Amino acid sequence: MAESAQPRTAAHPGGTGRPKVLTSYDPRTGEVVGDYAIMGSGEVTRTVRAAHAAEQWWAAIGFDGRKRWLLDWKRAVARGTRELVDLVSAETGKPRLDAAIEVTAAVEHLHWAARSAEKVLGRRTTGRFRHTRQASVGYRPLGVVGVLSPWHNPVLTAMNGIACAMAAGNSVVLKPSELTPGIGAWLADSWSRLAPNQPVLQVVTGDSTTAAALCRARLATISYTGSPAGAREVTALCAQHSTPLLVEQGGRGAMVVQVDARLPEAAAAAVFGAMANAGQNPAGVQCAYVAESVYEPFLDLVAAQARQLRPGADRRASYGPMTLESQTDVVRRHVRDALSRGGQAVVGGLDSIRTPYIEPIVLTEVPEVSLALSGDAVGPVLVVNKVRGMDEAVERLGSRSRSVAVFTRDVRSVPEFAERLKTEVVTVNSAPVYGTDGPGRTRDEQRLRDFARPLTITEKHRRDPVEQSTFERHPQHLRLARMIFRLRHRV
């Protein structure tokens, strides 16, 4: 959500009585990729109604039946990899290699979800209560799940929710970003060709009004991945109907380079974490805090590597354009603010920003209050700041970063250092990778449980010393229970 104000897509009236049309453009060339309907509340309601009917069949066929269908769908998606990669490159501007890596990861996640659902969610014995009752727990589908997918990593992020929700027995209504509607439509169409009479996966295309209609459709749950601003909007909408919400917010992380780090490896990871996908990966590096004694050689290595990168639309380009056009102005504002507060440009600067491309920018001596560090960073910009020691690094990090990459040869010291950080994920000697580390992580058993409800069954095996479920409580039973209590707890 919160994307409709920017001009990468355009809504056109479709004539009297016809829905408006959402046009998707290639950010590299401005060429039209495709036209898609902006669905209103009526179309969303009809889609959700069909999803409810399909969910009953889907839940009834059980784990084995769903696994067979999902593995068939996986093979269909894998066969269409070339077409899907072309579409990802067209709608996001990603180089084909980056798009292929994303699509491959999405197929692997679908494979994992199909094969892991029964192991994670199937019924199993959990133990006995007071030697009189035995319990088992299993998981049941929630119903119809809405997935709101962002424009960054639009296949992998969408599949993270779709695959787990479907493997758990739910039907899914996907609302892709208005910047990447074609990718969402492709995924839904690939399922429809496989099971044309069972709309277990459907897509609704449109802008923020379509997403709002889906939030108001009284679904079993909504899964949202995106910006903090969008998360606030979705939370408010879902609260109106008490719809449960799963939120994964984006936000790049930081790096800490200690005095004993292997500097070439750390520098390569910092540049990749900051510049990959034009700095538009939600798991990446915004700032590197470097120990004073190795600061100069580290900065030299970073600058040398950053100068070798080149954005563009050809196959030799290191990364593509800014997918969300308005983010170019955000990057310009952040860089200008950093420089005005005393920051120094080591590589590039304001003249590196040439819509829709931004050449690599490396800044240093940037104050923590600068927008380049305090704002929601999106763009190929890396800040490298010097710290006197790890205590200062912890202080500067505060609670701002969702992930922290620590580079050191003393790996055994990392857990103690990590305990001092207010962060969700710490990686050691590697930059965070979206889909592997932190929010957006695929092949996570908890993600399957998120789309299911636990159902516990207890069975009575023999009589309790003191009956708790009837009024047949005799004094001798109570005395026996008291004696057992005293012996057990030594009172």
Side-chain angles (χ1 to χ4, degrees):
M1 301 188 71
E3 295 172 353
S4 58
Q6 62 77 47
R8 253 283 321 276
T9 55
H12 307 288
T16 304
R18 297 177 61 189
K20 291 189 296 182
V21 174
L22 180 72
T23 300
S24 174
Y25 297 95
D26 188 326
R28 300 167 298 186
T29 63
E31 296 178 353
V32 173
V33 177
D35 291 328
Y36 304 89
I38 297 180
M39 298 184 178
S41 58
E43 291 161 300
V44 170
T45 298
R46 288 191 290 273
T47 301
V48 170
R49 188 180 299 124
H52 276 293
E55 187 272 334
Q56 297 178 25
W57 165 76
W58 187 242
I61 65 175
F63 288 111
D64 284 341
R66 291 193 292 269
K67 181 172 74 172
R68 288 193 294 271
W69 278 98
L70 289 173
L71 291 177
D72 284 346
W73 183 39
K74 178 209 67 173
R75 285 186 282 270
V77 174
R79 285 193 295 270
T81 294
R82 183 183 298 275
E83 180 184 354
L84 185 54
V85 166
D86 288 341
L87 186 55
V88 172
S89 290
E91 288 203 316
T92 68
K94 281 186 180 184
R96 279 187 56 84
L97 177 58
D98 289 354
I101 292 172
E102 180 187 345
V103 172
T104 299
V107 171
E108 291 291 343
H109 177 63
L110 176 55
H111 178 89
W112 173 85
R115 290 187 172 274
S116 301
E118 185 170 14
K119 174 186 173 183
V120 176
L121 304 177
R123 182 158 297 280
R124 63 185 184 277
T125 300
T126 58
R128 293 178 178 270
F129 297 103
R130 300 186 315 280
H131 307 287
T132 61
R133 294 172 185 264
Q134 182 171 292
S136 65
V137 63
Y139 290 82
R140 298 293 301 155
L142 298 175
V144 180
V145 170
V147 174
L148 300 177
S149 178
W151 50 268
H152 61 73
N153 299 307
V155 179
L156 181 57
T157 308
M159 188 62 79
N160 193 7
I162 292 169
C164 288
M166 290 177 66
N170 307 283
S171 60
V172 175
V173 178
L174 169 66
K175 163 58 178 73
S177 164
E178 63 194 71
L179 300 181
T180 55
I183 293 167
W186 192 98
L187 291 173
D189 287 346
S190 67
W191 172 264
S192 180
R193 289 192 294 271
L194 185 68
N197 299 319
Q198 299 294 349
V200 178
L201 172 62
Q202 299 175 89
V203 67
V204 290
T205 56
D207 54 19
S208 59
T209 62
T210 308
L214 189 62
C215 290
R216 297 190 183 102
R218 300 182 183 275
L219 303 182
T221 195
I222 293 281
S223 174
Y224 169 83
T225 305
S227 68
R232 289 191 290 271
E233 291 181 42
V234 173
T235 300
L237 288 166
C238 289
Q240 295 176 10
H241 298 290
S242 300
T243 300
L245 177 63
L246 299 170
V247 175
E248 290 193 305
Q249 296 184 30
R252 292 200 292 175
M255 176 183 288
V256 174
V257 182
Q258 299 191 11
V259 293
D260 62 344
R262 293 181 174 87
L263 297 186
E265 295 178 10
V271 172
F272 178 82
M275 311 295 177
N277 193 22
Q280 297 171 112
N281 282 330
V285 178
Q286 181 178 7
C287 180
Y289 294 100
V290 187
E292 191 171 20
S293 61
V294 297
Y295 166 76
E296 292 291 348
F298 177 83
L299 185 60
D300 289 343
L301 288 168
V302 164
Q305 294 193 30
R307 291 190 182 103
Q308 295 177 5
L309 303 181
R310 180 181 61 82
D314 58 277
R315 291 189 175 185
R316 294 185 178 181
S318 305
Y319 56 84
M322 300 300 289
T323 304
L324 186 59
E325 188 175 312
S326 61
Q327 282 295 336
T328 304
D329 293 331
V330 174
V331 173
R332 183 180 289 109
R333 186 164 63 251
H334 285 190
V335 173
R336 183 181 291 117
D337 181 73
L339 297 176
S340 70
R341 294 178 183 273
Q344 302 296 316
V346 179
V347 177
L350 289 172
D351 58 354
S352 301
I353 304 171
R354 305 184 183 94
T355 304
Y357 297 101
I358 300 178
E359 295 176 355
I361 299 173
V362 179
L363 307 174
T364 189
E365 300 179 27
V366 177
E368 297 298 319
V369 295
S370 169
L371 291 174
L373 291 178
S374 62
D376 293 332
V378 176
V381 179
L382 173 64
V383 174
V384 180
N385 277 346
K386 182 194 310 180
V387 292
R388 291 184 297 273
M390 293 305 100
D391 289 342
E392 183 181 351
V394 172
E395 181 181 351
R396 289 207 184 192
L397 282 166
S399 59
R400 184 182 69 240
S401 297
R402 295 186 178 276
S403 61
V404 177
V406 180
F407 277 78
T408 179
R409 299 188 193 201
D410 186 8
V411 175
R412 289 179 296 179
S413 68
V414 173
E416 181 181 354
F417 178 71
E419 291 289 341
R420 302 167 60 192
L421 302 174
K422 298 178 181 178
T423 188
E424 298 175 11
V425 176
V426 172
T427 61
V428 183
N429 294 328
S430 67
V433 176
Y434 186 76
T436 301
D437 306 303
R441 182 171 51 239
T442 59
R443 295 181 241 182
D444 185 350
E445 292 184 358
Q446 183 55 46
R447 192 67 170 159
L448 283 166
R449 297 187 189 99
D450 286 340
F451 293 107
R453 59 178 176 85
L455 174 60
T456 300
I457 299 175
T458 63
E459 180 183 353
K460 184 176 179 180
H461 283 269
R462 59 188 182 191
R463 189 179 184 88
D464 285 327
V466 177
E467 284 292 342
Q468 299 184 38
S469 58
T470 74
F471 287 104
E472 297 179 6
R473 301 173 182 175
H474 302 290
Q476 61 268 33
H477 293 162
L478 184 58
R479 286 193 294 270
L480 176 60
R482 186 182 296 118
M483 181 184 68
I484 293 173
F485 179 84
R486 287 175 175 173
L487 291 172
R488 179 175 177 82
H489 300 288
R490 298 182 182 179
V491 296

